[in-house]
Amino acid sequence: MKGVKRKRRWWAALVAVALAVLVAGCGATGTVPGAPGPAPGGGDALGAQTQTIRFSEVIRSIFYAPHYVALAKGFFQQQGLKVDMVTSQGSDKGAAALLAGTADISLIGPETSVYIYNQHGEKSIKAFYQLTGVDGSFLVGRPTSKPFRWQDLNGKTIISWRPGSSPQMVLNHVLAEQGVHGAKVITNIAPQAMVGAFRSGQGDYIQVYEPLASMLEQQGVGKVVASLGEAGGSYPETAYEATDAYVHAHPDVIQKWCTAVHQATRWIESHSPAEVADVIAPYFEGTPKDLIAQSVQRYEQQHTWPDNPVLTEAQFGILQNVLVEAGTIKADQKVSYNAVVETRFAQKAAGGQ
């Protein structure tokens, strides 16, 4: 019963956010000061017919490096796409923007597709390209020379993400697997306030993405003790999504989007972390390039960006099992793979077509 109530609260909050986003309209802009333009000589595939795509990213993180490479190297523009980017600060808000019609494409957790589909509303959203294949968060503790053991978390507090979000559910899944049952997980701090709370002394540990994990470590505020991606294993944390209606109406846009992102992923594979840092640095203003490069290397080491961007049925099964374990859906509320996943565009992009 708790899981159902939590899901209803999540949906009520999502509807409220959707209304707020609808009222706000497209006033926000994702322009990054000093961000590089397209690669020299790249040009637009459609010239004067360049199409503007309203895009919402869940958070700003090096976890999504291929996206920033695609922007900076002009891969989107070569496909005739201009990306108007905003940061939503949460998959619920990114999904709400899709439902409200203020975003065409969002980078969010695929769990939102399941939640929305189970409401049997007029709209559904589909994951069409898996950008990351593992969780991208790291557990950061207070500086110490003592070797980390998962059992150290018993009796400690961990600043985590909102209930029902991918990082929060992955953390709880890993804690259960490691036999940690005495940790207090704090889930009521807004994403943009989490690091400040940790810096001020709240929490014994914090779950953050790069570059924040490396930044806390470099500043002597914390120490990275574990990768949730390595501990949790294969997990479809984030995917590009759009409403079913948008995918049906704009298959050309979806295909060009997938092609640009896959091109960027291949570019990262053939370049050093330092070279990647040079390219995406404008999207992380104030973050030293050596720290960005360190973050890229960490993500590469845990095989964050899959060669195959298709969200497979097996991975979707892992996701739904975690949702049931977290109590956000019941076992009989699992949805069919084809209802919320579209594979043909990622398949074509990965095949070089």
Side-chain angles (χ1 to χ4, degrees):
M1 194 68 179
K2 283 184 179 180
V4 176
K5 288 182 178 178
R6 188 184 300 122
K7 186 189 70 175
R8 288 174 179 166
R9 287 198 299 271
W10 183 93
W11 178 250
L14 179 60
V15 171
V17 171
L19 291 174
V21 171
L22 186 59
V23 171
C26 297
T29 160
T31 303
V32 179
D44 295 353
L46 301 179
Q49 297 180 12
T50 296
Q51 197 165 351
T52 298
I53 308 301
R54 300 167 302 170
F55 170 67
S56 172
E57 61 173 355
V58 58
I59 58 172
R60 178 62 52 85
S61 172
I62 295 169
F63 189 43
Y64 312 125
H67 184 82
Y68 310 122
V69 168
L71 286 170
K73 298 295 292 181
F75 297 150
F76 283 120
Q77 194 158 351
Q78 289 169 23
Q79 293 294 322
L81 304 178
K82 178 183 177 183
V83 181
D84 183 7
M85 182 168 65
V86 297
T87 305
S88 64
Q89 298 294 352
S91 284
D92 54 343
K93 298 177 180 64
L98 294 176
L99 295 177
T102 59
D104 302 312
I105 295 173
S106 288
L107 180 61
I108 53 181
E111 74 280 356
T112 56
S113 296
V114 176
Y115 298 153
I116 291 169
Y117 186 86
N118 273 327
Q119 298 305 313
H120 306 292
E122 294 181 1
K123 294 183 179 181
S124 61
I125 60 176
K126 282 195 169 183
F128 61 83
Y129 186 104
Q130 179 178 304
L131 185 63
T132 62
V134 297
D135 180 79
S137 63
F138 296 86
L139 193 64
V140 178
R142 301 294 176 181
T144 177
S145 58
K146 180 182 176 182
F148 173 74
R149 300 177 308 158
W150 287 101
Q151 294 304 314
D152 295 339
L153 298 176
N154 282 309
K156 304 295 184 181
T157 57
I158 305 170
I159 298 176
S160 185
W161 298 72
R162 65 172 177 81
S165 64
S166 278
Q168 183 267 335
M169 290 189 294
V170 168
L171 174 64
N172 282 356
H173 175 73
V174 171
L175 292 181
E177 281 199 330
Q178 295 293 335
V180 178
H181 303 291
K184 179 183 178 182
V185 180
I186 301 171
T187 59
N188 61 353
I189 300 177
Q192 57 268 38
M194 288 169 58
V195 170
F198 186 72
R199 280 199 178 107
S200 68
Q202 188 170 349
D204 300 299
Y205 296 84
I206 185 172
Q207 180 188 13
V208 289
Y209 291 77
E210 290 287 17
L212 294 176
S214 291
M215 194 176 296
L216 288 170
E217 196 168 54
Q218 189 179 72
Q219 295 170 349
V221 179
K223 178 183 179 182
V224 175
V225 297
S227 160
L228 274 298
E230 292 180 353
S234 177
Y235 183 78
E237 175 105 350
T238 39
Y240 290 107
E241 305 206 16
T243 63
D244 193 34
Y246 187 88
V247 173
H248 181 74
H250 303 282
D252 56 331
V253 170
I254 301 298
Q255 189 61 69
K256 291 170 183 175
W257 189 278
C258 293
T259 298
V261 176
H262 192 63
Q263 186 178 357
T265 303
R266 293 200 310 269
W267 188 93
I268 290 175
E269 291 171 356
S270 61
H271 291 78
S272 69
E275 290 173 309
V276 177
D278 283 337
V279 169
I280 69 175
Y283 297 93
F284 299 92
E285 192 174 352
T287 305
K289 284 186 181 179
D290 62 334
L291 193 147
I292 296 175
Q294 177 181 322
S295 301
V296 170
Q297 186 172 19
R298 270 186 172 150
Y299 280 132
E300 286 187 320
Q301 287 173 343
Q302 65 181 36
H303 307 292
T304 295
W305 306 300
D307 293 329
N308 181 5
V310 176
L311 200 169
T312 67
E313 197 159 0
Q315 291 169 320
F316 187 65
I318 292 172
L319 169 67
Q320 293 207 96
N321 287 339
V322 169
L323 298 184
V324 172
E325 180 184 288
T328 58
I329 65 170
K330 290 183 176 181
D332 61 1
Q333 290 177 313
K334 289 183 176 181
V335 307
S336 67
Y337 173 69
N338 292 327
V340 293
V341 179
E342 175 60 72
T343 63
R344 57 191 165 119
F345 302 105
Q347 286 174 342
K348 188 173 181 180
Q353 302 178 36

